[in-house]
Amino acid sequence: MLKAVILIGGPQKGTRFRPLSFEVPKPLFPVAGVPMLQHHIEACAKVPNMKEILLIGFYQPNEELTRFMFSAQQEFKISIRYLQEYAALGTGGGIYHFRDQILSGGPEAFFIMNADVCSEFPLLEMLNFQKEHGEPSSFVILGTTANRTQSMNYGCIVENQGTNEVLHYVEKPSTFVSDIINCGIYLFTPEIFQHIGAVFQKNQQDMLLDDLTNGNGWHRAEAIRLEQDIFTALAGQGKLYVYKTRAFWSQIKSAGSAIYASRLYLNQYHKTHPERLATNEDGGPRISGNVYIHPTANIDPTAVLGPNVSIGTGVTIGAGVRVRESIILHGATLQDHSCVLNCIVGWDSTIGKWARVEGTPSDPNPNDPYAKIDSETLFRDGKLTPSITILGCNVTIPAEVIILNSIVLPHKDLNRSFKNQIIL
Amino acid sequence: MLANMKALILVGGYGTRLRPLTLSVPKPLVEFANKPILLHQVEALVKAGVNHVILAVSYMSDLLEREMRVQEERLGIKISLSHEKEPLGTAGPLALARELLTDNEESFFVLNSDVICDFPFEDMLKFHRHHGREGTIVVTKVEEPSKYGVVVYEAENGRIHRFVEKPQVFVSNKINAGMYIFSPSMLKRIQLRPTSIEKEIFPSMAEENHLYAMELQGFWMDIGQPKDFLTGMCMYLQSVRQTAPDRLTTGPGFLGNVLVDPTAVIGKNCTIGPNVTIGAGVVLEDGVRIKRCTVLKGSRVRSHSWLESCIVGWSSSVGQWVRMENVTVLGEDVIVNDELYLNGANVLPHKSITDSVPEPRIIM
Ligand SMILES: Nc1nc2c(ncn2[C@@H]2O[C@H](COP(=O)(O)OP(=O)(O)OP(=O)(O)O)[C@@H](O)[C@H]2O)c(=O)[nH]1
Ligand SMILES: Nc1nc2c(ncn2[C@@H]2O[C@H](COP(=O)(O)OP(=O)(O)OP(=O)(O)O)[C@@H](O)[C@H]2O)c(=O)[nH]1
Ligand SMILES: [Mg+2]
Ligand SMILES: [Mg+2]
């Protein structure tokens, strides 16, 4: 049997996702209409013999997470449990800490996935790939091709082109190493814990020494990074392989990348969930391209939506409203004639009549097949880099103003136009 | 009624500051409140009894000439064109038209072509006859005199002492309003060469006590650049509200002073005004919001767009969900694609705009 583990991080992670991560744990942020994690879970549930999905993170148990797990278990008929780390243990420390839980029932292999990726999740392909490679207990990293400059923002993999063995692994190098990057999705056998265990033992010894020499014991032996601490050491040992996919993949670090990820998933819905895509119907709004509309949303038939729009529960959209490349979160209201482009409109926010709320997309270069989305820093040369516009929860935008390339923190009542600003 | 009077209107400038509109049409023919700027003046002159208008022209005069033949017929007056081979400035044209201006002994009016106000022609003549000297210039009060050339004159009788260019300390808040009345004897001061009336003629007239100022009552605006064109439109529509409110459109969907040509078509759920002029044959589709704008003949604004402080040039087309503001001026036959944002864009004629213009600039 098989299992899957999703690394969901904790409240201190996901700062680039503010102000949206104030309201909801980032892994539950809706992408293409469903929580980010649900895409992972759906993919896992389709794998034959998948017995359990474990979420590992350092969030306090919370209602949203509990509710999500409950409904996902019902929907996908699979056991889903949350295992809480007592502190941030890193991408390798958490799974090591909970190794007994992962190994209980005796899975012959298990997947590990970062929560903040968007992917076609070629899990069956990874299983087949593992079988084809002589070494029965080899570990597989899902890899994809990036362009030279962007590759350095990721974990970089050098492979043996004949065998796909990982010869060298380096996390976010400062010079170009390889254009094959780590997708944050792995297939391991239980043997991985011997390797993590060895690092754990070594850390403990180092720490003892460290404590004796300079008395700073802040570093935990249990905090282990899969990428730097494990993969780097395993490379070239005949144990670690890379399965390269050409299917879509992206990180979801910034809010802007959530819009891009939504576009990728909405596009995938044509194959996986055509029922989630809105269609042009008599008495309904005009749909252009891929659009998700929650059934409880109330949309005027003269509105025009799409491409790449996701509309959440209980959203109200008035007459003559235009929405493109945006995520509208539950309870928001877009009044008549308003125009929303490249935005995330926060929960229960209101946009007045004829207001224009617009951002600048940070899409990957469309002419470069290997380009990824840049999750840039907010500021460049002291100036806010033009980004998508984000309205936090319960923001009010008055009629007829323009809000351009701005980030509005929750519960603000704006009274005029703003451009290129963070509004506290 | 004044009888058999003449007026010379200076229409020979290039109107560079009102580009891109003046790249298609000479400034005097640009419609202000749905009527060519020049006709506002000519009609007011006719009303005051002027029966011969001389236009001092230097470029693009064919269009002007054709239009003036039509107006001659309609208004029952004589309109002469005095062609300059080279621009003669604001005084030289008077020398060129000397014969036309001296066919009788009557005083004559001289006007800049791009000022808009309640034209006070009858009062000017009365005032001029009363002091009996060679010239009267109309002055108007401004808030920031340091930006202009001001006129210093005696409050009791209007006799002008001097002119001060951009005064740094306050000497007066009255500026030249671009409207004059002269006795024919004044023409001896002007030679047939490029000359500025303000800089080269007026100072010596004032020195010889031959120049008087008459203060204008009510609104005044030089509409020679887009920002002022819009401000002047607001003032003009407000005066229409007072003098001829029936010309303005009111009712649901209209706010404040709005002037709509009867051939314009306005869709459902629009909100128009305050301070909007809609030209002949213009189409505003459903759900358009427009305020403080002039939309010229034959243009179309598509659904759900929002416009403030813009001039939409002739036969232009503004797409759906477009936002235009901050003195955006579209030249003739410009197309703005759907969903764009234009902030202070100045768009030359026959352009198709496919990208937003988030900061003010000229689109060649
Ligand atoms: N359970 C758990 N998950 C973690 C921890 N640290 C990171 N993660 C998760 O692991 C995934 C990868 O996180 P990181 O390694 O921090 O991110 P990255 O992809 O390297 O990108 P950067 O943030 O740029 O370093 C994300 O889904 C995180 O939520 C941790 O200490 N515990
Ligand atoms: N006949 C004639 N009229 C002139 C000449 N220069 C300016 N004018 C007119 O004098 C008046 C005042 O001039 P300006 O306000 O400078 O207007 P303009 O020169 O047309 O426009 P700009 O190019 O924007 O300065 C306007 O009515 C002009 O048409 C000229 O050389 N000859
Ligand atoms: Mg990392
Ligand atoms: Mg000039």
Side-chain angles (χ1 to χ4, degrees):
Chain A
M1 64 115 135
L2 296 167
K3 287 195 184 187
V5 176
I6 308 175
L7 297 170
I8 65 170
Q12 289 85 356
K13 303 285 299 180
T15 53
R16 277 168 290 178
F17 214 70
R18 286 177 181 168
L20 300 165
S21 49
F22 289 143
E23 313 299 329
V24 60
K26 175 174 129 176
L28 296 183
F29 186 83
V31 176
V34 305
M36 200 183 288
L37 274 182
Q38 186 167 324
H39 298 284
H40 300 60
I41 292 174
E42 281 188 40
C44 292
K46 279 189 196 142
V47 176
N49 255 332
M50 182 66 69
K51 284 280 147 12
E52 186 172 50
I53 299 170
L54 300 168
L55 312 182
I56 299 185
F58 49 99
Y59 287 100
Q60 294 296 324
N62 59 72
E63 217 200 297
E64 283 115 316
L65 192 58
T66 314
R67 215 177 322 123
F68 167 72
M69 289 197 302
F70 179 79
S71 67
Q73 291 201 78
Q74 306 272 301
E75 186 172 348
F76 302 105
K77 314 262 178 301
I78 189 164
S79 154
I80 303 175
R81 286 193 295 141
Y82 175 51
L83 305 176
Q84 189 196 348
E85 294 163 36
Y86 56 91
L89 296 180
T91 47
I95 58 174
Y96 185 67
H97 183 76
F98 289 113
R99 60 192 179 279
D100 294 344
Q101 301 273 1
I102 296 170
L103 296 181
S104 81
E108 57 270 14
F110 54 92
F111 290 97
I112 304 278
M113 308 178 189
N114 288 353
D116 58 0
V117 297
C118 140
S119 169
E120 206 173 289
F121 298 107
L123 305 182
L124 293 176
E125 290 87 331
M126 287 172 77
L127 283 165
N128 288 336
F129 175 86
Q130 189 195 37
K131 286 200 193 88
E132 283 161 16
H133 278 78
E135 177 67 55
S137 68
S138 62
F139 313 130
V140 182
I141 303 182
L142 183 68
T144 191
T145 307
N147 67 34
R148 284 179 74 96
T149 37
Q150 289 182 322
S151 68
M152 300 186 298
N153 302 324
Y154 298 87
C156 295
I157 298 165
V158 180
E159 64 164 352
N160 174 326
Q161 290 190 355
T163 62
N164 304 117
E165 191 203 331
V166 176
L167 298 177
H168 182 73
Y169 184 95
V170 55
E171 184 69 20
K172 303 185 184 83
S174 58
T175 54
F176 176 74
V177 172
S178 165
D179 59 0
I180 304 170
I181 60 165
N182 173 3
C183 293
I185 299 170
Y186 319 113
L187 176 59
F188 292 154
T189 60
E191 201 193 309
I192 193 75
F193 293 122
Q194 293 169 24
H195 300 278
I196 305 178
V199 172
F200 180 80
Q201 303 298 337
K202 183 170 176 299
N203 280 359
Q204 242 171 0
Q205 277 161 21
D206 287 358
M207 258 183 46
L208 279 173
L209 280 176
D210 219 38
D211 269 354
L212 292 177
T213 47
N214 52 28
N216 82 8
W218 62 269
H219 193 79
R220 290 175 189 281
E222 308 93 296
I224 296 169
R225 300 160 303 179
L226 269 183
E227 303 84 352
Q228 290 93 327
D229 302 330
I230 308 298
F231 295 156
T232 304
L234 280 177
Q237 307 288 312
K239 295 249 67 172
L240 195 56
Y241 290 81
V242 57
Y243 172 72
K244 287 177 293 177
T245 180
R246 292 172 156 273
F248 72 84
W249 178 85
S250 175
Q251 280 193 322
I252 310 177
K253 294 293 181 190
S254 62
S257 56
I259 293 181
Y260 177 61
S262 277
R263 186 191 311 157
L264 299 177
Y265 279 136
L266 286 173
N267 195 37
Q268 189 195 27
Y269 285 170
H270 285 286
K271 275 188 284 172
T272 56
H273 286 287
E275 79 287 355
R276 285 187 192 160
L277 292 171
T279 51
N280 282 297
E281 275 160 38
D282 286 347
R286 205 175 95 217
I287 305 296
S288 135
N290 298 333
V291 174
Y292 169 84
I293 302 175
H294 193 273
T296 58
N298 184 3
I299 303 189
D300 190 280
T302 60
V304 181
L305 311 178
N308 188 21
V309 167
S310 311
I311 309 261
T313 50
V315 165
T316 303
I317 295 195
V321 167
R322 178 77 179 100
V323 186
R324 171 159 62 77
E325 294 288 340
S326 294
I327 297 175
I328 314 296
L329 297 166
H330 69 69
T333 300
L334 313 190
Q335 293 178 352
D336 298 357
H337 319 292
S338 59
C339 180
V340 174
L341 310 174
N342 305 302
C343 288
I344 295 179
V345 176
W347 306 270
D348 300 318
S349 286
T350 301
I351 295 178
K353 286 185 175 188
W354 280 294
R356 181 183 182 97
V357 183
E358 180 177 13
T360 300
S362 47
D363 288 354
N365 175 1
N367 302 318
D368 175 357
Y370 301 123
K372 304 283 175 280
I373 193 162
D374 273 320
S375 299
E376 293 230 37
T377 45
L378 236 38
F379 294 92
R380 198 196 296 136
D381 308 327
K383 273 166 92 186
L384 191 64
T385 47
S387 70
I388 64 154
T389 284
I390 305 167
L391 308 185
C393 162
N394 188 32
V395 163
T396 307
I397 305 294
E400 303 194 23
V401 302
I402 178 167
I403 308 295
L404 187 64
N405 303 339
S406 292
I407 297 172
V408 187
L409 270 66
H411 310 292
K412 282 300 282 189
D413 242 333
L414 301 189
N415 54 11
R416 60 172 176 93
S417 294
F418 286 91
K419 294 180 185 175
N420 309 307
Q421 278 189 51
I422 298 177
I423 300 146
L424 292 176
Chain B
M1 251 323 221
L2 328 163
N4 288 328
M5 283 201 67
K6 293 175 296 286
L8 180 140
I9 307 181
L10 294 160
V11 293
Y14 289 108
T16 55
R17 285 166 300 164
L18 203 56
R19 288 174 183 166
L21 301 176
T22 44
L23 293 172
S24 302
V25 162
K27 185 160 70 175
L29 294 186
V30 171
E31 297 96 328
F32 174 85
N34 287 347
K35 191 196 293 185
I37 296 174
L38 184 61
L39 277 193
H40 286 270
Q41 300 170 324
V42 172
E43 287 181 6
L45 287 165
V46 170
K47 224 167 121 207
V50 168
N51 63 3
H52 184 189
V53 172
I54 301 150
L55 302 181
V57 300
S58 69
Y59 87 115
M60 278 220 284
S61 54
D62 291 356
L63 208 56
L64 199 61
E65 184 147 13
R66 247 179 291 138
E67 177 63 25
M68 288 307 115
R69 293 300 147 244
V70 176
Q71 296 302 330
E72 251 186 339
E73 190 83 359
R74 183 174 76 91
L75 299 167
I77 58 162
K78 183 169 168 206
I79 301 179
S80 313
L81 266 66
S82 172
H83 288 272
E84 323 168 6
K85 294 209 176 55
E86 53 161 345
L88 291 174
T90 46
L94 274 70
L96 186 66
R98 188 185 307 269
E99 277 179 21
L100 293 171
L101 293 171
T102 50
D103 64 353
N104 62 23
E105 282 305 295
E106 196 50 88
S107 302
F108 57 87
F109 294 101
V110 173
L111 309 178
N112 279 356
S113 71
D114 45 10
V115 299
I116 216 79
C117 63
D118 270 329
F119 294 101
F121 298 128
E122 289 171 68
D123 292 344
M124 282 169 78
L125 184 65
K126 239 180 271 161
F127 180 88
H128 187 67
R129 283 189 176 145
H130 181 76
H131 68 68
R133 303 301 222 149
E134 281 181 3
T136 296
I137 78 177
V138 178
V139 296
T140 185
K141 193 155 89 183
V142 292
E143 283 179 4
E144 293 181 61
S146 55
K147 291 201 292 197
Y148 303 85
V150 300
V151 185
V152 183
Y153 61 93
E154 274 173 40
E156 304 83 65
N157 60 15
R159 191 173 60 80
I160 294 176
H161 292 186
R162 60 199 167 104
F163 296 87
V164 183
E165 210 31 59
K166 304 200 169 60
Q168 293 311 299
V169 290
F170 183 89
V171 285
S172 163
N173 58 3
K174 306 293 192 306
I175 66 161
N176 177 350
M179 292 177 279
Y180 323 117
I181 183 164
F182 298 124
S183 305
S185 60
M186 172 273 190
L187 290 171
K188 66 179 184 296
R189 298 173 179 277
I190 302 173
Q191 262 120 62
L192 187 57
R193 59 174 167 81
T195 312
S196 158
I197 201 165
E198 300 88 345
K199 296 200 176 68
E200 298 172 69
I201 308 297
F202 287 163
S204 59
M205 284 178 77
E207 225 160 83
E208 296 164 29
N209 295 332
H210 264 301
L211 201 57
Y212 281 69
M214 183 188 104
E215 191 183 341
L216 181 70
Q217 306 303 315
F219 78 102
W220 176 89
M221 198 71 208
D222 178 333
I223 55 171
Q225 49 194 36
K227 188 169 166 286
D228 298 337
F229 183 97
L230 290 170
T231 307
M233 176 193 66
C234 298
M235 293 172 163
Y236 176 85
L237 292 181
Q238 183 57 26
S239 96
V240 172
R241 157 81 54 211
Q242 262 129 41
T243 56
D246 293 352
R247 289 177 52 206
L248 301 178
T249 306
T250 52
F254 292 90
L255 302 175
N257 303 328
V258 177
L259 183 67
V260 182
D261 186 278
T263 60
V265 178
I266 293 177
K268 291 181 293 216
N269 303 319
C270 293
T271 303
I272 299 174
N275 299 312
V276 170
T277 302
I278 307 288
V282 165
V283 178
L284 302 187
E285 294 185 358
D286 297 349
V288 166
R289 177 74 183 101
I290 180 167
K291 49 190 186 187
R292 205 172 184 276
C293 288
T294 289
V295 184
L296 295 171
K297 213 188 298 178
S299 288
R300 170 180 287 261
V301 179
R302 306 209 44 221
S303 317
H304 315 299
S305 284
W306 185 95
L307 283 72
E308 180 177 45
S309 297
C310 301
I311 304 174
V312 177
W314 310 271
S315 308
S316 287
S317 170
V318 175
Q320 297 185 304
W321 290 288
V322 166
R323 182 185 178 98
M324 303 204 314
E325 61 186 342
N326 194 18
V327 200
T328 286
V329 184
L330 307 184
E332 182 190 10
D333 179 35
V334 165
I335 297 172
V336 180
N337 281 9
D338 289 351
E339 298 166 26
L340 299 183
Y341 171 46
L342 304 190
N343 174 21
N346 226 296
V347 187
L348 271 57
H350 313 294
K351 274 297 288 188
S352 195
I353 307 287
T354 54
D355 291 301
S356 288
V357 181
E359 293 304 328
R361 74 190 180 89
I362 295 163
I363 312 292
M364 292 288 276

